[in-house]
Amino acid sequence: MKVVLLAGGLGTRISEESHLKPKPMIEIGEMPILWHIMKYYSSYGFKEFIILAGYKQYLIKEYFANYFLHNADITFDMGKNTMEVHNSEAEDWKVTVVDTGLHTMTGGRLKRVEKYLKHEPFMLTYGDGVSDVNLEALLDFHKKHGKPATISMVNLAQQKGVLDVDAEGQIRSFREKEEKDGAVINGGFMVLEPEIFDYLQDDNTILEQSPMQNLAAEGKLMGYYHDGFWQCMDTQREKKLLEDLWASGKAPWKRW
């Protein structure tokens, strides 16, 4: 099953670093947070990725083009103009990086890669958040209910999509958070069927608005509740939190 990563936004809320690189390329423990997410998925056996790039997308492409340079010892013979690679630790991943446009919205970015995904279910998440969500249990939940869309729900009071959920896990409504709301939010880590593309119109489609709202109204959107660790990286404070967890050797998302 392919994993799709949304990695094209401007990252304006962490502009101290995102003016230099895409937010998913900001490092936690000297490795991009995008790498952390991909390592987590691959620890469950999901090793084929489609990265929906946009802002400074060439930096993502260059990172994977030179991946072995970041993970090996290298001898440069300057006189002979040769390079010898030692102890390379390449991942057994297949990575497709797609330039989905600078100002394209989340649903529009996904729509642009329909040709890669229209015949099979796939996973989708954001390129700026880590979690210890059980991906096997998530996928099993998705297969059992038979609906076209499952999103992971987390209990945090942040400005993300708010979910109204019934006792069976079916999401009745999906909307942006308001101050009066509680704390059950959209944490990403989704499983989607190709039917999702019927709800995506063009580059201006925001996945978290009309597509999710319409799916919820039709009884086709399900929520998998995750009561463990989840953290996005929108600010320098959140980046430091993740850095500290990684440095402690007890990062909840590190299962490799």
Side-chain angles (χ1 to χ4, degrees):
M1 179 177 284
K2 295 182 177 70
V3 179
V4 182
L5 300 160
L6 286 159
L10 299 177
T12 54
R13 283 182 286 182
I14 193 168
S15 58
E16 299 93 334
E17 295 194 50
S18 64
H19 74 287
L20 298 172
K21 64 183 72 172
K23 185 164 68 164
M25 296 303 293
I26 294 175
E27 295 177 351
I28 302 297
E30 299 187 338
M31 298 299 285
I33 191 171
L34 183 67
W35 175 88
H36 288 265
I37 298 167
M38 294 169 73
K39 286 287 285 186
Y40 187 74
Y41 272 97
S42 66
S43 74
Y44 279 93
F46 303 107
K47 300 183 179 183
E48 187 169 354
F49 301 93
I50 300 176
I51 300 174
L52 308 185
Y55 173 67
K56 295 187 183 294
Q57 50 83 30
Y58 60 91
L59 292 176
I60 299 177
K61 292 175 179 175
E62 289 175 357
Y63 175 78
F64 286 104
N66 297 307
Y67 187 85
F68 72 97
L69 292 175
H70 300 277
N71 297 277
D73 299 329
I74 301 174
T75 298
F76 298 96
D77 188 324
M78 309 303 287
K80 297 180 180 178
N81 194 27
T82 62
M83 179 179 72
E84 182 180 359
V85 178
H86 313 279
N87 305 319
S88 178
E89 297 182 3
E91 307 286 351
D92 56 343
W93 298 345
K94 181 178 180 180
V95 182
T96 301
V97 182
V98 181
D99 181 3
T100 57
L102 182 59
H103 300 294
T104 310
M105 298 293 101
T106 50
R109 294 189 191 283
L110 183 56
K111 182 70 173 176
R112 286 202 184 195
V113 297
E114 180 177 2
K115 64 182 179 180
Y116 297 109
L117 301 163
K118 60 184 179 181
H119 299 304
E120 57 188 316
F122 59 94
M123 291 190 168
L124 172 71
T125 198
Y126 302 99
D128 62 355
V130 288
S131 177
D132 61 356
V133 60
N134 187 320
L135 297 178
E136 291 177 350
L138 169 65
L139 183 57
D140 185 59
F141 174 80
H142 177 79
K143 289 178 177 178
K144 285 181 177 178
H145 67 62
K147 303 290 177 66
T150 300
I151 62 178
S152 296
M153 305 181 297
V154 294
N155 196 17
L156 287 174
Q158 298 190 28
Q159 293 181 349
K160 308 297 179 185
V162 174
L163 313 173
D164 178 22
V165 190
D166 67 18
E168 301 299 322
Q170 180 167 307
I171 298 173
R172 295 186 293 252
S173 67
F174 185 108
R175 58 182 170 76
E176 292 302 299
K177 186 179 186 298
E178 300 173 2
E179 290 186 4
K180 64 179 181 177
D181 288 317
V184 178
I185 66 168
N186 168 26
F189 294 91
M190 312 172 216
V191 186
L192 302 172
E193 300 291 330
E195 186 179 339
I196 188 66
F197 293 106
D198 296 337
Y199 295 81
L200 309 177
Q201 302 302 316
D202 53 32
D203 283 358
N204 296 315
T205 302
I206 300 174
L207 178 65
E208 300 80 5
Q209 293 185 2
S210 60
M212 291 296 185
Q213 292 164 359
N214 291 335
L215 283 165
E218 296 170 13
K220 295 181 177 181
L221 181 61
M222 299 294 288
Y224 173 80
Y225 186 71
H226 172 59
D227 61 358
F229 176 83
W230 178 91
Q231 181 62 56
C232 64
M233 188 187 67
D234 279 338
T235 65
Q236 283 289 343
R237 181 189 65 81
E238 291 168 341
K239 178 183 185 295
K240 185 179 185 305
L241 170 64
L242 295 175
E243 286 272 17
D244 290 346
L245 283 171
W246 185 258
S248 74
K250 299 178 181 179
W253 67 90
K254 188 179 186 302
R255 64 185 307 271
W256 56 89

